[in-house]
């Protein structure tokens, strides 16, 4: 999961444990990458995603990587596994 983020600490501290529990229950092999923008410019979600993808591609040496871009303030509530 790539999570573009800025100034929503309240959401982030809820999101990370929630998604960890949710994805473990679904049996998904996953990592959560939080890509944070820390300047005062307009929020640039696309740039944050690009930075995270570049970081992941420099670290991972697997044949297939599936990416999900996820907002920090949206939580899945059904046990349906759309993350596989």
């Amino acid at each position: 999961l790539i999570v573009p983020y800025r100034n929503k600490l309240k959401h982030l501290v809820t999101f990370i444990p929630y998604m960890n529990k949710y994805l473990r229950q679904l049996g998904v092999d996953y990592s959560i990458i939080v890509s944070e923008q820390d300047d005062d410019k307009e929020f640039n979600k696309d740039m944050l995603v690009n930075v995270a993808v570049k970081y992941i591609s420099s670290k991972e040496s697997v044949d297939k990587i599936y990416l999900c871009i996820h907002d920090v303030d949206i939580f899945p509530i059904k046990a349906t596994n759309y993350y596989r």
Side-chain angles (χ1 to χ4, degrees):
L1 257 51
I2 296 174
V3 183
Y5 167 79
R6 181 173 69 180
N7 297 334
K8 291 188 175 184
L9 184 59
K10 180 180 174 181
H11 291 130
L12 186 63
V13 298
T14 304
F15 178 82
I16 298 294
Y18 182 92
M19 289 305 293
N20 280 326
K21 181 179 178 183
Y22 181 84
L23 294 169
R24 269 190 253 118
Q25 286 176 343
L26 294 174
V28 175
D29 182 21
Y30 70 95
S31 295
I32 299 174
I33 306 294
V34 177
S35 186
E36 181 177 12
Q37 181 174 337
D38 65 354
D39 59 22
D40 292 332
K41 296 178 182 175
E42 185 175 340
F43 186 61
N44 191 338
K45 186 176 184 177
D46 296 333
M47 182 264 310
L48 295 172
V49 170
N50 287 338
V51 167
V53 169
K54 188 171 184 175
Y55 170 79
I56 292 165
S57 64
S58 74
K59 301 292 182 188
E60 295 294 326
S61 60
V62 295
D63 293 334
K64 294 181 184 178
I65 298 174
Y66 299 96
L67 301 175
C68 174
I69 290 81
H70 210 294
D71 290 337
V72 71
D73 55 356
I74 296 177
F75 297 81
I77 53 174
K78 291 185 178 181
T80 306
N81 191 353
Y82 296 112
Y83 295 90
R84 250 186 215 194

